[in-house]
Amino acid sequence: MMLRLDLQFFAGEKTEKATPKKRQDSRKKGQVLKSQDVTSAIVLLFVFLFLFFAAGFMRDRFFMFFLHAFTEYVPQDRIDADKVMLIYDEILIQMAFILLPIMLIAMVAAVGANLFQFGLLFTAEPLKFDLKKIDPIKGLKRIFSIRAIVELMKSILKISFIGSTTSLILWMNIDKVLGLAFKTPADILTTIGQLTALMGIVASFVLLFISILDFFYQKYDYEKNLKMSKQDIKDEHKNSEGDPIIKSRIKQRQREMAMRRMMQEIPQADVVITNPTHYAIAIKYDDEDMDAPIVVAKGVDFVAQKIKLIAKEHDIVMVENRPLARAMYDEVEIGERIPESFFKAVAEILAYVYRIQRKI
């Protein structure tokens, strides 16, 4: 009893790699290998690179916007509802010219990062309502799980690394920071923009390095969650290939149906060639419809005895020819025409049968 329980325990332990079908089913449910940090790092990196190289363009657009606002909108004495809507539309257009490129870069980077990690996937499974997601017990388990501890350590690591690198950049440019008090507003904005973009790019690279480590951890956790037990693999095989017991029953029914059809064809046969006890081959020939005789039934032992019994009930001639019966059983299937190598022997038997029938 103890040995049986041990075997059942080990059979239920998830030690086997996931099968292709299990991976495909998990993918359909939206369960894919993905690190959110990889996506965040790539989005931040591309956004800050864009800001670094497009800072001049954005500065000019901002100056044009404020210049237009202070020269056109502010001096107006009377503003009615129509003018307010006109100003609102112009402001939206100007803001779109400034902000839409950043949003477009962020969107393209996010889509590209996800495509890089798990390819193209459209599924609504994660959006379905599931009561298990609001189960307080499972929620507590997730809070105090190993994964939660790893996420906490990862957050501390990100804060420490990014804080250290940005502080280092400020320390390396301390002269520029201290000299801001003696610069014009335009120079102050330029310096602050450059330092901000530089800190953002460096922080993005640091976050990208951390995200690579997180990606390998997510891969390990993903493969661990996908693992299957030996019993799971057996069940999947049964579901995909069919239960062996059911398959054997289906094959048995098919054999029984084929046997009944074969027995129904025996009364139409012209002759049964026997071994005489072990083999029986029923042959039919119609010179108007057939170019050669065909085998309508064959069998050994019990089936052979059944064929001979039916043949006797319907007065079908039985001819003993041991080598011919054995050879035809091995080489000719039911419903097939006999090969040319048997033409002469079968023709002699059919001629003998026709002579007997004419005498009768």
Side-chain angles (χ1 to χ4, degrees):
M1 178 64 72
M2 290 296 296
L3 179 60
R4 184 180 302 173
L5 291 175
D6 290 340
L7 291 174
Q8 290 177 353
F9 172 77
F10 286 113
E13 190 176 0
K14 297 183 182 296
T15 57
E16 307 300 317
K17 289 185 177 180
T19 60
K21 184 178 183 303
K22 176 68 178 294
R23 294 179 183 276
Q24 186 178 5
D25 292 342
S26 298
R27 182 178 175 83
K28 289 179 180 178
K29 295 178 182 178
Q31 299 172 0
V32 293
L33 173 58
K34 177 185 176 182
S35 171
Q36 190 62 46
D37 287 344
V38 171
T39 304
S40 302
I42 292 177
V43 170
L44 284 176
L45 178 61
F46 276 83
V47 168
F48 277 108
L49 284 174
F50 174 79
L51 292 175
F52 185 81
F53 291 106
F57 165 78
M58 297 183 68
R59 179 196 61 196
D60 295 339
R61 298 298 303 189
F62 270 116
F63 282 153
M64 289 177 59
F65 169 73
F66 285 114
L67 180 63
H68 186 73
F70 285 112
T71 57
E72 297 293 334
Y73 303 149
V74 175
Q76 296 186 18
D77 296 332
R78 185 177 179 181
I79 299 178
D80 54 16
D82 294 335
K83 287 186 178 180
V84 170
M85 292 305 300
L86 181 62
I87 293 172
Y88 177 72
D89 292 340
E90 290 182 1
I91 291 175
L92 282 182
I93 294 173
Q94 293 299 324
M95 288 295 102
F97 276 113
I98 297 172
L99 299 178
L100 280 181
I102 301 176
M103 298 173 64
L104 183 62
I105 290 292
M107 184 182 68
V108 172
V111 173
N114 287 325
L115 286 175
F116 172 75
Q117 292 186 82
F118 55 84
L120 189 63
L121 175 63
F122 295 99
T123 178
E125 286 292 330
L127 301 178
K128 289 184 178 180
F129 180 74
D130 188 1
L131 290 175
K132 295 180 180 179
K133 294 180 180 179
I134 58 176
D135 186 351
I137 298 177
K138 291 188 176 181
L140 289 174
K141 288 182 179 179
R142 285 194 295 268
I143 292 174
F144 298 102
S145 63
I146 299 296
R147 186 179 183 85
I149 297 174
V150 172
E151 292 295 328
L152 175 63
M153 298 300 296
K154 189 174 61 176
S155 299
I156 295 173
L157 189 66
K158 285 189 288 187
I159 293 172
S160 302
F161 275 34
I162 294 174
S164 300
T165 52
T166 52
S167 299
L168 181 62
I169 292 173
L170 287 175
W171 180 258
M172 293 172 62
N173 295 272
I174 190 65
D175 294 336
K176 293 182 179 180
V177 175
L178 295 177
L180 291 177
F182 306 100
K183 292 186 177 182
T184 63
D187 292 336
I188 291 175
L189 290 176
T190 301
T191 303
I192 292 176
Q194 290 175 349
L195 288 176
T196 302
L198 183 60
M199 286 189 294
I201 293 172
V202 174
S204 299
F205 276 110
V206 171
L207 184 59
L208 186 62
F209 170 74
I210 297 174
S211 68
I212 292 174
L213 300 179
D214 179 65
F215 179 81
F216 286 110
Y217 168 74
Q218 297 294 340
K219 183 177 181 181
Y220 162 77
D221 190 62
Y222 176 75
E223 295 292 338
K224 180 182 177 182
N225 292 330
L226 275 184
K227 279 187 175 182
M228 305 171 66
S229 64
K230 296 183 185 298
Q231 186 62 41
D232 291 337
I233 295 176
K234 291 180 180 178
D235 293 340
E236 181 185 290
H237 182 73
K238 286 182 180 179
N239 293 331
S240 60
E241 299 294 333
D243 193 329
I245 298 177
I246 297 176
K247 288 175 65 177
S248 63
R249 289 178 180 175
I250 293 174
K251 289 182 178 180
Q252 182 179 357
R253 291 294 300 274
Q254 290 174 342
R255 286 193 296 267
E256 291 175 355
M257 293 173 64
M259 182 68 67
R260 284 197 296 268
R261 287 195 300 268
M262 184 182 73
M263 295 302 176
Q264 291 172 359
E265 292 292 330
I266 295 174
Q268 309 299 324
D270 293 314
V271 64
V272 174
I273 303 174
T274 64
N275 190 23
T277 56
H278 298 293
Y279 291 85
I281 312 292
I283 295 176
K284 178 182 179 181
Y285 178 62
D286 187 346
D287 57 357
E288 295 182 357
D289 298 331
M290 303 177 185
D291 57 354
I294 62 172
V295 174
V296 296
K298 70 174 185 177
V300 295
D301 298 330
F302 174 77
V303 178
Q305 298 300 325
K306 184 71 173 178
I307 292 173
K308 289 190 289 184
L309 179 62
I310 296 175
K312 185 176 181 181
E313 291 176 353
H314 292 81
D315 298 326
I316 297 173
V317 179
M318 287 182 283
V319 177
E320 180 182 340
N321 190 323
R322 297 187 180 188
L324 180 60
R326 179 63 182 268
M328 290 184 65
Y329 180 85
D330 293 336
E331 298 185 23
V332 188
E333 296 298 327
I334 298 172
E336 292 183 357
R337 62 191 296 274
I338 65 172
E340 294 182 2
S341 57
F342 298 133
F343 276 5
K344 183 178 180 181
V346 172
E348 292 177 353
I349 291 175
L350 287 175
Y352 168 74
V353 171
Y354 294 154
R355 287 197 300 268
I356 294 175
Q357 290 176 345
R358 281 197 294 270
K359 290 178 181 180
I360 296 174

